[in-house]
Amino acid sequence: MLLLAGALLCNCVPHLVSGVQGAWFPTPFAKPRGVGESSPLLNFIWGASNLLVGLFIVWRRLIVIGPNLQIAALAVGFLASGTFLATYFGKVRKVANG
C-alpha cells in the first residue's frame, strides 16, 4: 500500500501545479486518455484527489519517519512513478509540440 501512496503523492504534483498555474495537462479523463489535455480545474481536482488518497494511506499505515522499510516502500513508489511519468509525459509532450 505504501508503494501506491508514494505513486499517488508523486502524481499529485504535476496536476496540482498545472491546475494552480491555469495550464492544460493530460489526465486519465482526457480524450485520448492520458494524451489529450484536461482543463486546469480538472487537473487541480485530480491532483488534490491523488494527494488526499496518498495521505490517507500514509495516515492509516501509521508510518514511522526514519530509515525503515516503510519509508523505503514509500520512496520506491514515488521514484518509480516519477520515472515512469517523466518518460511517458516527455514523449506525449514531444509529440504534441511537434
Side-chain angles (χ1 to χ4, degrees):
M1 282 305 270
L2 289 173
L3 285 170
L4 176 61
L8 290 168
L9 292 173
C10 182
N11 192 50
C12 82
V13 174
H15 296 288
L16 287 173
V17 170
S18 294
V20 298
Q21 286 183 338
W24 289 71
F25 189 74
T27 69
F29 311 107
K31 290 185 176 136
R33 186 179 178 139
V35 176
E37 296 190 335
S38 295
S39 71
L41 179 59
L42 183 56
N43 268 284
F44 179 77
I45 292 168
W46 180 240
S49 299
N50 278 258
L51 176 63
L52 293 174
V53 173
L55 290 175
F56 179 76
I57 293 169
V58 169
W59 172 71
R60 292 291 295 160
R61 297 292 298 191
L62 300 173
I63 67 170
V64 176
I65 304 298
N68 58 54
L69 290 176
Q70 293 174 319
I71 296 299
L74 192 66
V76 167
F78 191 93
L79 294 170
S81 178
T83 302
F84 170 77
L85 292 171
T87 304
Y88 177 77
F89 286 119
K91 290 176 187 174
V92 168
R93 305 297 274 183
K94 184 177 181 181
V95 169
N97 293 328

